Amino acid sequence: MARSYSEELGYIERVDDTKWRVSKGFVENMRVPGYFYVNEALRPLMFEELRDYCNSRKGAKSGGFLPAMKQLANVASLPGIVKRSVALPDVHAGYGFAIGNVAAFDMGDPEAIVSPGGVGFDINCGVRVIRTNLMYKDVAELQEQLAQSLFNHIPVGVGSQGIIRCRDTDLEGVLNLGMDWSLSKGYAWAEDKEHCEEFGRMLTANPSAVSNRAKRRGLPQLGTLGAGNHYSEIQVVEEIYDPKAAAAMGIYSKDQVLVMVHSGSRGLGHQVATDALVEMENAMLRDNIKTNDQQLACARIDSPEGRSYLAAMSAAANYAWVNRSSMTFLVRQAFAKVLGQSPDDLDMHLIYDVSHNIAKIETHLVDNAPKKLLVHRKGSTRAFPPNHPLIPNAYQQTGQPVLIGGTMGTNSFILLGTDKGFQETWGSTCHGAGRALSRNKSRNCLDYQQALQQLADKNISVTHTASQAPSQPTSSPNMSTSWATLY
C-alpha cells in the first residue's frame, strides 16, 4: 500500500542549505542513500512533484515517469552502486534514471550493472563553446544575417539530413575513431580534440556492436542539429567573474562573441539505446536481476549484454562528437561567409566540449582508496578539478570548463570543476537550466507567438522551424539559432 506524503517526508532530511538526504527505506531495497541539491527557488519543484504523486489516488505518474525523487531512490537500489545516488540542481523526471541523476558502480563487483536508462536515449548529447575575436559592436548590424547564415548551413529538425558526405565505410570510421575521423577529413582543427572530453574518442567503441538499423538511421544525419532542446546559439559575454580562468579559455572581454552548439548522436544513439533495452530485459530474467522500476533495465557490466552495450554506447558517443565537430565546421563556414574573413582570422577556436549522457570508467577515491567505477551521467556534465590528468593542459591550473546552457532568453554559464564536486558527486554537476514544466504542460501553457515576442523584446534573433500555425499553443519550436548573452 502506498505511503502518504507525510510518511514519505520522514525519510528526507536537510543536510545543509542546498543538500538534502533521502534515507534508506524511502523505496524498497535501497542499498545507499540518495542526495539531491537544490536552492530555495528549486526546492518547491522537487517536493510538489512528490506531493502530487503521493496524493494521486492511483499514484499517477507525471508524463509517464515517476517523480525525480523516486527515481533517485530507485537508482540507489541497483546492484553494485557505490556510496550514493546523486540528483543535481536541474533534475527532472526521465526514463529510468531522472535527468540530472548520477550514479557510480563498482567495476570490481561481479553483481554491478550498467543501465541504458542511466545514459539516456540521446547518447553523448553534449554542448561545446567556440570563441571568436569579435565584439558585439562588430556584428550588431549583422545579427539577423549571422542567425540566418547558421540556419542555412546547419540542417535542423527531426528528419533533417546532413550535408557532410558519409558513406558506409565512412560511418565505420566515425563510430570507431570519433574526432580523429573529423581530423582526417578536414572537418576539425588539430587542437579541437585537445579541448574535448575524452579527446573526442572513446577507445572502447566497437562499430560491430551497433545494429544495422542504428547505422542506417545515423548515416544521413551527420552534421545535423536535430530538434527538441538542441540549438546553435550566438552568445555575447556579459560578465567575467575570474579573469585569469577566462583568459585561459581565450575569453578576454565583456561583449566578446561566442557560439554554443548543443546536440548529440541523433537517431543512431536512440536506436543503440532501444536495442540494448530489449537485450537487457532478457539478461535480467536469465540472471535474476530485480529492480524497482522496469525502466531501469540493466545487465551485469561483465555480461555479454553489458559489454556489448558499452561498446555500442562508446561508438554512438564517437558519432556525437563527430556530429558536433561537423557542425563546428559549418559554424565556422557560416561566420566566414557573412564576415568575409577566414575562421582562423576570426580566432574560432574550440573552448571545450562536454558530454551530458554517457557512462565512463573512471578512478575515484572510495573510503580513501582508489577504485575503478563505471560512472553513469544522465543529463549531467562532468566537472573535474584542477590538476586532474584527464583535462587539457590549458586548464590544469583552473579546472575543467563546465558549460551550462540557459533557456531561450536567459544566461548560459561557463563554470569550473572543483575538488569538492569531485568528492561529492563523482566530479559531476548540472547540465543546463532544468525544467519547471514537463513538455506536455509546456505545450498547454506556452504560446508560440508570445515566446517569439518575448525574445524579440530582448533583442534576440531567432531562426527556427515549426509545423504549427503561429496562433496555436505549442512547446518551443525546433530552434536552430538564437542570440543570447553568456556569463
Side-chain angles (χ1 to χ4, degrees):
M1 188 172 181
R3 292 194 294 258
S4 68
Y5 178 58
S6 59
E7 289 172 315
E8 298 278 13
L9 291 180
Y11 291 93
I12 304 169
E13 60 179 328
R14 191 170 196 158
V15 178
D16 58 33
D17 288 345
T18 58
K19 183 179 178 180
W20 295 72
R21 175 188 172 102
V22 180
S23 300
K24 294 180 184 179
F26 183 71
V27 300
E28 295 180 357
N29 307 317
M30 283 181 70
R31 300 165 188 261
V32 296
Y35 291 92
F36 62 93
Y37 296 81
V38 290
N39 60 17
E40 286 305 305
L42 296 171
R43 180 178 57 81
L45 297 175
M46 285 286 283
F47 284 93
E48 285 172 12
E49 187 182 54
L50 178 64
R51 181 198 61 206
D52 292 344
Y53 174 82
C54 292
N55 292 345
S56 171
R57 290 181 180 180
K58 297 181 181 180
K61 300 175 183 179
S62 175
F65 298 136
L66 290 168
M69 207 179 295
K70 286 285 189 181
Q71 292 186 314
L72 169 73
N74 284 337
V75 169
S77 307
L78 291 172
I81 189 168
V82 176
K83 286 295 184 180
R84 65 192 77 90
S85 175
V86 178
L88 300 163
D90 62 343
V91 67
H92 50 280
Y95 184 92
F97 280 53
I99 298 168
N101 198 171
V102 177
F105 297 84
D106 186 355
M107 293 292 295
D109 183 347
E111 301 295 305
I113 58 89
V114 57
S115 174
V119 172
F121 284 93
D122 191 0
I123 295 168
N124 192 10
C125 174
V127 66
R128 58 173 48 193
V129 171
I130 304 148
R131 72 179 189 237
T132 76
N133 57 15
L134 298 165
M135 297 294 117
Y136 178 65
K137 62 181 177 60
D138 299 325
V139 296
E141 295 182 1
L142 301 172
Q143 180 170 319
E144 296 287 347
Q145 288 176 252
L146 280 171
Q148 188 62 48
S149 185
L150 281 188
F151 185 79
N152 292 343
H153 279 76
I154 302 175
V156 61
V158 176
S160 57
Q161 295 192 5
I163 60 173
I164 304 295
R165 296 191 61 184
C166 185
R167 305 181 187 87
D168 290 345
T169 53
D170 291 318
L171 185 60
E172 294 294 309
V174 168
L175 298 175
N176 187 41
L177 301 175
M179 284 182 63
D180 286 332
W181 181 89
S182 299
L183 279 168
S184 71
K185 299 296 182 180
Y187 294 126
W189 294 356
E191 61 268 33
D192 285 354
K193 64 175 291 184
E194 301 298 323
H195 292 143
C196 185
E197 188 172 331
E198 292 295 313
F199 302 100
R201 180 184 181 186
M202 293 280 279
L203 298 176
T204 48
N206 184 353
S208 65
V210 179
S211 69
N212 288 332
R213 184 175 184 184
K215 291 175 180 177
R216 286 197 302 271
R217 291 184 67 178
L219 197 61
Q221 293 186 328
L222 205 58
T224 64
L225 195 63
N229 63 345
H230 293 158
Y231 57 83
S232 61
E233 185 171 271
I234 305 170
Q235 304 177 331
V236 177
V237 176
E238 184 172 301
E239 191 69 47
I240 296 176
Y241 298 106
D242 186 336
K244 182 178 178 181
M249 304 176 201
I251 300 173
Y252 296 102
S253 173
K254 291 183 181 182
D255 289 338
Q256 188 172 343
V257 175
L258 311 177
V259 183
M260 182 176 280
V261 177
H262 176 210
S263 190
S265 52
R266 307 288 281 112
L268 183 141
H270 195 285
Q271 191 63 49
V272 165
T274 301
D275 294 340
L277 287 169
V278 174
E279 293 180 0
M280 289 187 177
E281 287 176 1
N282 296 329
M284 290 175 69
L285 290 173
R286 182 194 65 215
D287 296 336
N288 195 31
I289 301 173
K290 306 293 185 183
T291 65
N292 290 346
D293 181 2
Q294 64 180 7
Q295 292 184 355
L296 289 172
C298 56
R300 308 289 186 211
I301 294 174
D302 200 35
S303 68
E305 295 82 5
R307 292 193 299 270
S308 176
Y309 171 69
L310 287 172
M313 181 215 68
S314 298
N318 287 345
Y319 180 96
W321 278 311
V322 173
N323 191 38
R324 291 197 290 276
S325 293
S326 300
M327 283 186 283
T328 300
F329 171 81
L330 297 172
V331 166
R332 288 165 173 160
Q333 295 302 308
F335 268 68
K337 183 173 183 178
V338 172
L339 296 165
Q341 299 181 62
S342 73
D344 189 54
D345 289 338
L346 294 171
D347 193 37
M348 298 190 73
H349 290 270
L350 180 64
I351 291 177
Y352 205 61
D353 177 298
V354 293
S355 306
H356 292 162
N357 293 350
I358 205 161
K360 292 196 295 188
I361 299 171
E362 298 172 356
T363 299
H364 291 264
L365 284 179
V366 179
D367 297 327
N368 295 318
K371 189 177 286 288
K372 191 175 290 186
L373 306 176
L374 181 64
V375 182
H376 293 61
R377 292 189 179 94
K378 167 80 167 288
S380 165
T381 303
R382 192 189 75 175
F384 279 5
N387 303 313
H388 195 285
L390 294 182
I391 63 176
N393 289 333
Y395 305 133
Q396 282 291 308
Q397 300 301 312
T398 62
Q400 178 204 308
V402 177
L403 314 176
I404 310 293
T407 59
M408 288 190 301
T410 66
N411 296 105
S412 297
F413 290 81
I414 299 179
L415 309 178
L416 297 170
T418 66
D419 287 312
K420 184 176 181 181
F422 191 71
Q423 295 163 14
E424 288 202 11
T425 63
W426 310 120
S428 312
T429 191
C430 61
H431 81 308
R435 184 179 297 160
L437 297 175
S438 70
R439 289 182 180 179
N440 285 333
K441 287 183 179 178
S442 296
R443 289 188 181 95
N444 295 327
C445 298
L446 299 180
D447 180 78
Y448 165 75
Q449 201 74 303
Q450 288 179 348
L452 290 181
Q453 186 58 53
Q454 289 172 0
L455 294 172
D457 291 343
K458 296 180 179 181
N459 192 33
I460 297 173
S461 302
V462 182
T463 316
H464 57 86
T465 62
S467 58
Q468 294 91 344
S471 60
Q472 292 179 306
T474 177
S475 61
S476 300
N478 298 330
M479 305 313 301
S480 171
T481 64
S482 62
W483 193 277
T485 53
L486 177 71
Y487 277 108

Short mmCIF file of all heavy atoms in Angstrom, two decimals, residues 116 119-125 175 210 213-215 217-218 221 264-276 309 312-313 315-317 319-320:
data_model
loop_
_atom_site.label_atom_id
_atom_site.label_comp_id
_atom_site.label_asym_id
_atom_site.label_seq_id
_atom_site.Cartn_x
_atom_site.Cartn_y
_atom_site.Cartn_z
N PRO A 116 21.13 1.36 -19.61
CA PRO A 116 20.92 2.40 -20.63
C PRO A 116 20.09 3.56 -20.11
O PRO A 116 20.26 4.70 -20.57
CB PRO A 116 20.18 1.64 -21.74
CG PRO A 116 20.58 0.22 -21.56
CD PRO A 116 20.71 0.02 -20.08
N VAL A 119 22.11 6.46 -18.99
CA VAL A 119 22.82 7.21 -20.03
C VAL A 119 21.84 8.06 -20.83
O VAL A 119 22.09 9.22 -21.11
CB VAL A 119 23.58 6.25 -20.97
CG1 VAL A 119 24.16 7.00 -22.17
CG2 VAL A 119 24.68 5.53 -20.20
N GLY A 120 20.71 7.45 -21.18
CA GLY A 120 19.70 8.16 -21.95
C GLY A 120 19.67 7.72 -23.40
O GLY A 120 20.57 7.03 -23.89
N PHE A 121 18.62 8.09 -24.09
CA PHE A 121 18.46 7.71 -25.50
C PHE A 121 19.35 8.53 -26.42
O PHE A 121 19.82 8.02 -27.42
CB PHE A 121 16.99 7.87 -25.91
CG PHE A 121 16.10 6.76 -25.40
CD1 PHE A 121 15.43 6.90 -24.20
CD2 PHE A 121 15.96 5.58 -26.11
CE1 PHE A 121 14.62 5.88 -23.73
CE2 PHE A 121 15.16 4.55 -25.64
CZ PHE A 121 14.49 4.70 -24.44
N ASP A 122 19.57 9.80 -26.09
CA ASP A 122 20.45 10.62 -26.93
C ASP A 122 21.87 10.50 -26.36
O ASP A 122 22.35 11.37 -25.64
CB ASP A 122 19.99 12.08 -26.94
CG ASP A 122 20.72 12.90 -28.01
OD1 ASP A 122 21.57 12.32 -28.73
OD2 ASP A 122 20.44 14.10 -28.11
N ILE A 123 22.53 9.39 -26.69
CA ILE A 123 23.86 9.11 -26.16
C ILE A 123 24.84 10.23 -26.52
O ILE A 123 24.89 10.67 -27.67
CB ILE A 123 24.36 7.75 -26.69
CG1 ILE A 123 23.46 6.62 -26.15
CG2 ILE A 123 25.82 7.51 -26.29
CD1 ILE A 123 23.70 5.28 -26.83
N ASN A 124 25.58 10.67 -25.53
CA ASN A 124 26.54 11.77 -25.70
C ASN A 124 25.89 13.02 -26.29
O ASN A 124 26.51 13.75 -27.06
CB ASN A 124 27.75 11.37 -26.53
CG ASN A 124 28.88 12.40 -26.47
OD1 ASN A 124 28.84 13.32 -25.68
ND2 ASN A 124 29.88 12.22 -27.31
N CYS A 125 24.64 13.26 -25.94
CA CYS A 125 24.13 14.60 -26.11
C CYS A 125 25.09 15.49 -25.33
O CYS A 125 25.48 15.16 -24.21
CB CYS A 125 22.72 14.72 -25.54
SG CYS A 125 22.06 16.39 -25.56
N LEU A 175 32.33 5.84 -36.13
CA LEU A 175 31.99 5.10 -34.92
C LEU A 175 33.23 4.63 -34.18
O LEU A 175 33.25 4.54 -32.94
CB LEU A 175 31.11 3.90 -35.26
CG LEU A 175 29.74 4.22 -35.89
CD1 LEU A 175 29.03 2.94 -36.28
CD2 LEU A 175 28.89 5.04 -34.94
N VAL A 210 27.09 -2.09 -32.98
CA VAL A 210 25.98 -1.21 -33.38
C VAL A 210 25.15 -1.91 -34.46
O VAL A 210 25.70 -2.39 -35.46
CB VAL A 210 26.52 0.14 -33.90
CG1 VAL A 210 25.38 1.05 -34.35
CG2 VAL A 210 27.37 0.81 -32.83
N ARG A 213 20.32 -1.34 -38.19
CA ARG A 213 19.24 -0.35 -38.17
C ARG A 213 19.74 0.97 -37.59
O ARG A 213 19.42 2.05 -38.11
CB ARG A 213 18.07 -0.87 -37.35
CG ARG A 213 16.87 0.08 -37.37
CD ARG A 213 15.67 -0.50 -36.64
NE ARG A 213 14.51 0.37 -36.74
CZ ARG A 213 13.36 0.16 -36.15
NH1 ARG A 213 13.17 -0.94 -35.43
NH2 ARG A 213 12.36 1.01 -36.29
N ALA A 214 20.53 0.90 -36.52
CA ALA A 214 21.09 2.12 -35.94
C ALA A 214 22.00 2.82 -36.94
O ALA A 214 21.97 4.06 -37.08
CB ALA A 214 21.85 1.79 -34.66
N LYS A 215 22.80 2.04 -37.65
CA LYS A 215 23.70 2.64 -38.64
C LYS A 215 22.93 3.29 -39.77
O LYS A 215 23.30 4.38 -40.25
CB LYS A 215 24.65 1.58 -39.19
CG LYS A 215 25.67 1.08 -38.17
CD LYS A 215 26.51 -0.06 -38.72
CE LYS A 215 27.53 -0.54 -37.70
NZ LYS A 215 28.31 -1.70 -38.16
N ARG A 217 20.05 4.66 -39.53
CA ARG A 217 19.47 5.91 -39.03
C ARG A 217 20.54 7.01 -38.93
O ARG A 217 20.25 8.19 -39.13
CB ARG A 217 18.84 5.68 -37.65
CG ARG A 217 17.59 4.81 -37.70
CD ARG A 217 16.94 4.70 -36.32
NE ARG A 217 16.39 5.99 -35.87
CZ ARG A 217 15.75 6.17 -34.73
NH1 ARG A 217 15.58 5.14 -33.89
NH2 ARG A 217 15.27 7.35 -34.40
N GLY A 218 21.77 6.61 -38.62
CA GLY A 218 22.82 7.59 -38.45
C GLY A 218 23.47 8.06 -39.73
O GLY A 218 24.03 9.17 -39.78
N GLN A 221 22.52 11.59 -41.12
CA GLN A 221 22.28 12.67 -40.16
C GLN A 221 23.53 13.35 -39.63
O GLN A 221 23.45 14.20 -38.75
CB GLN A 221 21.46 12.13 -38.98
CG GLN A 221 20.04 11.72 -39.36
CD GLN A 221 19.20 11.33 -38.16
OE1 GLN A 221 19.71 10.79 -37.17
NE2 GLN A 221 17.92 11.59 -38.24
N GLY A 264 23.51 15.84 -30.15
CA GLY A 264 24.03 14.54 -29.73
C GLY A 264 24.17 13.56 -30.87
O GLY A 264 24.57 13.92 -31.98
N SER A 265 23.80 12.31 -30.60
CA SER A 265 24.05 11.22 -31.55
C SER A 265 22.85 10.92 -32.44
O SER A 265 22.86 9.92 -33.16
CB SER A 265 24.46 9.95 -30.79
OG SER A 265 23.54 9.64 -29.76
N ARG A 266 21.82 11.79 -32.36
CA ARG A 266 20.67 11.70 -33.28
C ARG A 266 20.01 10.32 -33.27
O ARG A 266 20.00 9.64 -32.23
CB ARG A 266 21.12 12.11 -34.69
CG ARG A 266 21.80 13.47 -34.75
CD ARG A 266 20.83 14.62 -34.54
NE ARG A 266 20.08 14.86 -35.78
CZ ARG A 266 18.79 14.63 -35.95
NH1 ARG A 266 18.07 14.14 -34.96
NH2 ARG A 266 18.19 14.89 -37.09
N GLY A 267 19.50 9.86 -34.39
CA GLY A 267 18.77 8.60 -34.43
C GLY A 267 19.63 7.38 -34.15
O GLY A 267 19.13 6.37 -33.64
N LEU A 268 20.92 7.48 -34.45
CA LEU A 268 21.80 6.35 -34.19
C LEU A 268 21.88 6.04 -32.70
O LEU A 268 21.73 4.88 -32.28
CB LEU A 268 23.20 6.65 -34.75
CG LEU A 268 24.22 5.51 -34.61
CD1 LEU A 268 25.11 5.42 -35.85
CD2 LEU A 268 25.10 5.67 -33.37
N GLY A 269 22.09 7.05 -31.88
CA GLY A 269 22.17 6.83 -30.44
C GLY A 269 20.86 6.34 -29.86
O GLY A 269 20.84 5.47 -28.97
N HIS A 270 19.77 6.87 -30.35
CA HIS A 270 18.45 6.44 -29.88
C HIS A 270 18.24 4.96 -30.17
O HIS A 270 17.74 4.20 -29.31
CB HIS A 270 17.35 7.28 -30.55
CG HIS A 270 16.01 7.16 -29.90
ND1 HIS A 270 15.21 6.05 -30.05
CD2 HIS A 270 15.33 8.02 -29.09
CE1 HIS A 270 14.09 6.22 -29.37
NE2 HIS A 270 14.15 7.41 -28.77
N GLN A 271 18.66 4.52 -31.34
CA GLN A 271 18.47 3.12 -31.70
C GLN A 271 19.39 2.21 -30.89
O GLN A 271 19.00 1.10 -30.51
CB GLN A 271 18.72 2.93 -33.19
CG GLN A 271 18.29 1.56 -33.71
CD GLN A 271 16.80 1.34 -33.55
OE1 GLN A 271 15.99 2.19 -33.92
NE2 GLN A 271 16.43 0.20 -32.98
N VAL A 272 20.61 2.66 -30.61
CA VAL A 272 21.53 1.88 -29.77
C VAL A 272 20.89 1.63 -28.41
O VAL A 272 20.91 0.51 -27.88
CB VAL A 272 22.88 2.60 -29.61
CG1 VAL A 272 23.69 1.98 -28.47
CG2 VAL A 272 23.67 2.52 -30.92
N ALA A 273 20.29 2.67 -27.82
CA ALA A 273 19.64 2.51 -26.52
C ALA A 273 18.43 1.58 -26.61
O ALA A 273 18.24 0.71 -25.74
CB ALA A 273 19.21 3.88 -25.99
N THR A 274 17.63 1.74 -27.64
CA THR A 274 16.45 0.89 -27.82
C THR A 274 16.84 -0.57 -27.97
O THR A 274 16.24 -1.46 -27.35
CB THR A 274 15.66 1.36 -29.05
OG1 THR A 274 15.28 2.74 -28.88
CG2 THR A 274 14.41 0.52 -29.25
N ASP A 275 17.85 -0.83 -28.78
CA ASP A 275 18.31 -2.21 -28.97
C ASP A 275 18.79 -2.82 -27.66
O ASP A 275 18.49 -3.97 -27.34
CB ASP A 275 19.45 -2.24 -30.00
CG ASP A 275 19.01 -1.86 -31.40
OD1 ASP A 275 17.80 -1.92 -31.69
OD2 ASP A 275 19.90 -1.47 -32.20
N ALA A 276 19.54 -2.04 -26.88
CA ALA A 276 20.11 -2.56 -25.64
C ALA A 276 19.04 -2.87 -24.61
O ALA A 276 19.15 -3.85 -23.87
CB ALA A 276 21.11 -1.54 -25.08
N TYR A 309 26.68 -3.45 -24.87
CA TYR A 309 26.11 -2.11 -24.76
C TYR A 309 27.20 -1.05 -24.61
O TYR A 309 27.16 -0.01 -25.27
CB TYR A 309 25.14 -2.01 -23.59
CG TYR A 309 24.71 -0.58 -23.33
CD1 TYR A 309 23.89 0.09 -24.23
CD2 TYR A 309 25.19 0.12 -22.21
CE1 TYR A 309 23.54 1.42 -24.03
CE2 TYR A 309 24.84 1.45 -22.00
CZ TYR A 309 24.01 2.09 -22.91
OH TYR A 309 23.68 3.41 -22.72
N ALA A 312 28.78 -0.42 -27.94
CA ALA A 312 27.89 0.31 -28.85
C ALA A 312 27.68 1.74 -28.37
O ALA A 312 27.64 2.68 -29.18
CB ALA A 312 26.56 -0.42 -28.97
N MET A 313 27.52 1.91 -27.05
CA MET A 313 27.37 3.26 -26.49
C MET A 313 28.59 4.11 -26.80
O MET A 313 28.47 5.29 -27.18
CB MET A 313 27.15 3.18 -24.99
CG MET A 313 26.95 4.53 -24.31
SD MET A 313 27.66 4.62 -22.66
CE MET A 313 29.42 4.55 -23.02
N ALA A 315 30.62 3.78 -29.32
CA ALA A 315 30.59 4.11 -30.75
C ALA A 315 29.60 5.24 -31.02
O ALA A 315 29.88 6.15 -31.82
CB ALA A 315 30.21 2.86 -31.55
N ALA A 316 28.43 5.20 -30.35
CA ALA A 316 27.46 6.28 -30.52
C ALA A 316 28.01 7.59 -29.97
O ALA A 316 27.75 8.67 -30.52
CB ALA A 316 26.15 5.92 -29.81
N ALA A 317 28.77 7.52 -28.88
CA ALA A 317 29.41 8.73 -28.33
C ALA A 317 30.38 9.31 -29.35
O ALA A 317 30.45 10.54 -29.54
CB ALA A 317 30.13 8.40 -27.03
N TYR A 319 30.16 9.02 -32.56
CA TYR A 319 29.33 9.63 -33.60
C TYR A 319 28.90 11.04 -33.17
O TYR A 319 28.94 11.98 -33.98
CB TYR A 319 28.10 8.76 -33.85
CG TYR A 319 27.15 9.28 -34.89
CD1 TYR A 319 27.22 8.83 -36.21
CD2 TYR A 319 26.17 10.23 -34.58
CE1 TYR A 319 26.33 9.31 -37.18
CE2 TYR A 319 25.30 10.71 -35.53
CZ TYR A 319 25.39 10.25 -36.83
OH TYR A 319 24.52 10.74 -37.78
N ALA A 320 28.50 11.20 -31.90
CA ALA A 320 28.04 12.51 -31.43
C ALA A 320 29.16 13.54 -31.49
O ALA A 320 28.93 14.70 -31.84
CB ALA A 320 27.51 12.37 -30.00
#
